[in-house]
Amino acid sequence: MTRTVTSTERALAALRELILRGQFTAGARLGEVELAERLGVSRTPVREALTRLAAEGLVELVPNRGARVASWSVAELEGVFDLRSALEPRLTGLAVPRAQPADVAALEELAAEMLTVGLPGPHQDLDALVPLNRRFHGRLVVIADQSALATALAGAIHAPIQLRNFRAYDEASLRRSLAHHVEIVAAIRAGDPTWARAVMTAHIHNARAVMLRAAREQEAS
Amino acid sequence: MTRTVTSTERALAALRELILRGQFTAGARLGEVELAERLGVSRTPVREALTRLAAEGLVELVPNRGARVASWSVAELEGVFDLRSALEPRLTGLAVPRAQPADVAALEELAAEMLTVGLPGPHQDLDALVPLNRRFHGRLVVIADQSALATALAGAIHAPIQLRNFRAYDEASLRRSLAHHVEIVAAIRAGDPTWARAVMTAHIHNARAVMLRAAREQEAS
DNA sequence: CAGCCCTAGATTGCACACAATCCACGGGAC
DNA sequence: GTCCCGTGGATTGTGTGCAATCTAGGGCTG
């Protein structure tokens, strides 16, 4: 009894993955016919996928002029990180009392794996860090089980995709970021929401500093 | 040079207005053909309007089973108000230094008008309160000019539409709510973001208490 | 009589064709 | 040379028909 999946869903998932993986440069035009051919469906599901991605904030939709991959100015990025720092610590705090042992184990494994591929050494692979990071933060959202918060966050977490790799991080910031994940797991294991919230706040502000620096450099060029 | 509007936009605006005005009961089925006839367009723009409204959180979209007017459980409502109390005071604080004299005047007029139609007396008209309230909060969003925050809020502000009239308010709560609007304008005029944030926080928690009580009663029935 | 299957009607999902709109590129006027 | 305007090609917007899917109801089986 495999649930049949509609073309729209496939197009949506495929497109989101393409964008998140950075297959398009920020601001790149997304022609409907081109995407339709590339994904092997007609324009109709492509259009629907595009409007949904626009709602997620991944693409920008201009009437009569089609879709572009979303991009953010430095000012907008500041707003986005401001938002994240309001929402994500709160979400983390809510997740603490709800986390099951399986959740903690999963988070712990993700955090450990990120240490492996994130730190300098033979296993370093900064690109592998991106999906792991997404899964870590995504898991927290699932645990918290707050649909309103989740949808509100969805629009914000995708924002820094244009600086989507971790190459923007200097080594000190990267080590901090990886350590934060581990510490968040520790706080959850200890059942201490205040601790978890605090670390998440630091985590986001650390990322904010890195991203804004990178965005400023990029904007200056 | 009147900007031509697409059928989708008209359908979107019309549908949103219908839902917000409470022309449908919460959970009501929204058939595509029925809406298409009612709005005088084909199914295509209706479908697109529905997906966009789903993104706004006004309708729920189930694959192969169409659209329904969104509804919220008590638990979800709690989450929504939690979210609003995190975002809207912050937004209000950001709006304070940005408000122009014209903005303050507009807010003041709205607050005054709400007093007129809200308080018991010959001019009382609780239904007229709804759009005024929307305009007041919407104006604050415009003034703050924070697109990320605005989109995050958009999903939350529509939530209580099923209890969309102000009849759920007991008189004390209603008086408080109306007074809050006036006081927010005073705080903005004084250029005091802390004051504005505080009143907005109180405003939302006041609404939260009313709405949750109403929702519980409704759910119990 | 309860439960299951199967069919019929209704509804959504998708593709395609045509209409409306936009954008780039020349040609002309000043 | 610069600006304006018109035209052609490309792209998005919309209508419609058909396929896929769901839901309700009746008849069959145990």
Side-chain angles (χ1 to χ4, degrees):
Chain A
M1 193 98 169
T2 52
R3 206 170 113 42
T4 59
V5 173
T6 66
S7 300
T8 299
E9 286 175 65
R10 280 189 291 113
L12 181 62
L15 245 180
R16 182 167 31 216
E17 206 53 32
L18 283 173
I19 296 175
L20 252 33
R21 284 183 186 279
Q23 302 294 84
F24 302 103
T25 63
R29 223 177 139 309
L30 296 171
E32 294 179 2
V33 287
E34 179 204 336
L35 290 176
E37 287 172 11
R38 186 161 178 173
L39 302 176
V41 295
S42 90
R43 281 176 51 215
T44 309
V46 171
R47 281 179 69 86
E48 190 156 340
L50 284 175
T51 64
R52 294 202 191 181
L53 289 173
E56 283 182 35
L58 278 180
V59 311
E60 284 165 355
L61 224 45
V62 185
N64 283 319
R65 295 178 57 183
R68 318 185 77 85
V69 177
S71 64
W72 289 266
S73 68
V74 170
E76 287 171 320
L77 263 186
E78 282 180 352
V80 167
F81 273 103
D82 190 45
L83 180 62
R84 277 190 73 179
S85 86
L87 297 183
E88 211 155 349
R90 174 177 295 247
L91 181 102
T92 308
L94 291 171
V96 169
R98 302 184 51 87
Q100 302 297 313
D103 297 319
V104 180
L107 289 172
E108 188 153 54
E109 191 184 326
L110 286 168
E113 207 170 338
M114 278 192 268
L115 276 180
T116 309
V117 302
L119 292 178
H123 301 291
Q124 188 174 39
D125 179 358
L126 292 177
D127 290 326
L129 218 45
V130 179
L132 288 172
N133 189 54
R134 259 161 62 200
R135 284 168 58 194
F136 186 90
H137 288 266
R139 184 85 186 213
L140 282 177
V141 172
V142 171
I143 298 171
D145 190 32
Q146 285 276 328
S147 59
L149 243 175
T151 43
L153 244 185
I157 49 181
H158 292 322
I161 52 163
Q162 52 186 313
L163 317 151
R164 70 179 64 68
N165 53 54
F166 279 81
R167 302 184 205 294
Y169 279 75
D170 58 287
E171 189 175 329
S173 301
L174 181 56
R175 284 184 183 277
R176 271 199 294 274
S177 180
L178 298 175
H180 286 150
H181 292 137
V182 178
E183 187 171 358
I184 287 168
V185 177
I188 294 174
R189 197 184 286 283
D192 186 338
T194 304
W195 183 10
R197 266 202 306 275
V199 180
M200 182 55 92
T201 303
H203 183 61
I204 290 168
H205 281 255
N206 183 52
R208 175 193 151 103
V210 172
M211 290 297 165
L212 286 182
R213 175 161 48 74
R216 286 208 185 86
E217 283 171 12
Q218 191 169 303
E219 201 161 82
S221 68
Chain B
M1 176 102 178
T2 51
R3 205 169 113 40
T4 60
V5 291
T6 65
S7 300
T8 299
E9 287 174 65
R10 280 188 292 113
L12 181 62
L15 245 179
R16 181 165 33 216
E17 206 53 30
L18 283 173
I19 296 175
L20 252 34
R21 284 184 186 280
Q23 301 295 86
F24 302 103
T25 63
R29 226 179 135 305
L30 296 172
E32 295 180 1
V33 287
E34 179 204 335
L35 291 176
E37 287 172 11
R38 185 161 178 173
L39 302 175
V41 295
S42 88
R43 280 176 51 215
T44 309
V46 170
R47 281 179 70 86
E48 190 157 340
L50 284 175
T51 64
R52 296 203 190 180
L53 289 174
E56 283 182 35
L58 278 180
V59 310
E60 285 165 354
L61 224 45
V62 184
N64 283 320
R65 295 179 58 183
R68 317 186 77 84
V69 177
S71 65
W72 290 266
S73 68
V74 170
E76 286 171 320
L77 264 186
E78 282 180 351
V80 166
F81 274 103
D82 190 45
L83 180 62
R84 278 190 73 178
S85 87
L87 297 184
E88 212 156 346
R90 176 177 294 247
L91 181 101
T92 308
L94 290 170
V96 169
R98 302 185 50 88
Q100 302 296 314
D103 297 319
V104 180
L107 289 173
E108 188 154 53
E109 192 183 325
L110 287 167
E113 207 169 338
M114 278 191 269
L115 275 181
T116 308
V117 302
L119 292 179
H123 297 101
Q124 189 174 38
D125 178 358
L126 292 177
D127 290 326
L129 218 45
V130 179
L132 289 172
N133 189 54
R134 260 161 62 201
R135 283 167 60 194
F136 186 90
H137 288 265
R139 183 84 185 213
L140 282 176
V141 173
V142 171
I143 298 171
D145 191 32
Q146 287 274 328
S147 59
L149 244 175
T151 43
L153 244 185
I157 48 180
H158 292 322
I161 52 165
Q162 54 186 315
L163 317 151
R164 68 180 67 69
N165 52 54
F166 279 82
R167 302 184 205 293
Y169 279 76
D170 58 288
E171 188 175 330
S173 300
L174 181 56
R175 285 184 182 276
R176 272 199 293 275
S177 180
L178 298 175
H180 286 150
H181 292 136
V182 178
E183 187 171 358
I184 287 168
V185 176
I188 294 174
R189 197 185 286 285
D192 186 337
T194 303
W195 184 9
R197 266 201 307 275
V199 179
M200 183 55 92
T201 302
H203 183 60
I204 290 168
H205 282 255
N206 182 53
R208 174 191 151 102
V210 173
M211 291 297 165
L212 286 183
R213 174 162 47 76
R216 285 209 186 85
E217 283 171 13
Q218 192 170 302
E219 201 161 84
S221 69

